[in-house]
Each structure stands twice: as C-alpha cells, then as structure tokens.
C-alpha cells in the first residue's frame, strides 16, 4: 500500500485504488521512442479504506503471489503477440484491438 489514507482526499478524487505512478518510465520511454505499457496490481485497501479490516503481511504476500501468477499467465499470452508486431507506432495507436 502507498501509505496514503482517507484524510488525503482519495474518496474526494473518486479513486478506487492508489498506486505508484509510471511517470518517470513513461517520460523516458517517450524520449527514447519506446513502447510502454504499465500494469498495476492491487494488494490491499488497507492504506486508506478505513471501513476495511487491517491486512496482515501474510494476506498481502498471498495476494502479491496470486497477482504474480496472473501476470505470468498474461505475459505468456502477450509475448508471442508482441513478437508478431511489425509497426509499433501503428499498433500502439490501436492497442485495444491488439490486446
């Protein structure tokens, strides 16, 4: 969790989760003309959703492992598709069709 809690206005923002940004990576990728996809995985709501019970390290670790397993499955499907891409610029403009 990010350590941000309700007092910082998360509910006012209309957000459902809080995460670390990909801004530095996105800026560097743009500068180098590299394609970039960011994917976030939620581990818990403990940092700001006061109505939820506090999470344990074991719960976060299990969720993180489960998320990792899901990501491995996703990447096993995605990587062969990426290898087929000839024109990244055109493909990235139509990413919803690609995935």
């Amino acid at each position: 969790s990010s350590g941000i809690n309700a007092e910082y206005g998360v509910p006012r923002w209309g957000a459902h989760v809080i995460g670390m940004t990909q801004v530095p990576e996105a800026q560097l990728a743009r500068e180098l003309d590299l394609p970039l996809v960011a994917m976030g995985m939620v581990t818990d709501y403990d940092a700001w959703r006061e109505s939820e019970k506090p999470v344990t390290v074991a719960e976060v670790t299990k969720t993180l492992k489960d998320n990792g397993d899901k990501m491995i499955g996703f990447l096993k499907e995605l990587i062969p598709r990426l290898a087929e891409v000839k024109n990244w610029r055109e493909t990235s403009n139509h990413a919803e069709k690609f995935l």
Side-chain angles (χ1 to χ4, degrees):
S1 62
S2 68
I4 296 177
N5 61 34
E7 70 189 67
Y8 291 100
V10 173
R12 289 192 308 263
W13 300 336
H16 297 285
V17 295
I18 304 168
M20 298 177 68
T21 71
Q22 297 293 313
V23 172
E25 292 86 350
Q27 290 172 333
L28 183 58
R30 171 67 83 184
E31 182 179 318
L32 297 173
D33 201 27
L34 296 172
L36 173 74
V37 172
M39 295 189 59
M41 298 185 298
V42 175
T43 57
D44 65 271
Y45 293 106
D46 191 38
W48 63 273
R49 196 180 268 185
E50 293 179 353
S51 62
E52 298 287 325
K53 69 177 180 65
V55 297
T56 65
V57 171
E59 290 170 319
V60 172
T61 303
K62 180 187 180 321
T63 302
L64 187 59
K65 183 193 177 312
D66 293 346
N67 284 345
D69 292 342
K70 291 174 188 175
M71 182 62 72
I72 289 169
F74 174 77
L75 291 174
K76 283 181 178 179
E77 290 187 32
L78 179 63
I79 290 171
R81 294 182 189 187
L82 294 176
E84 297 171 3
V85 175
K86 304 292 185 240
N87 183 337
W88 277 105
R89 191 171 305 282
E90 183 178 320
T91 301
S92 66
N93 290 335
H94 305 286
E96 69 280 354
K97 293 179 189 174
F98 183 64
L99 298 173

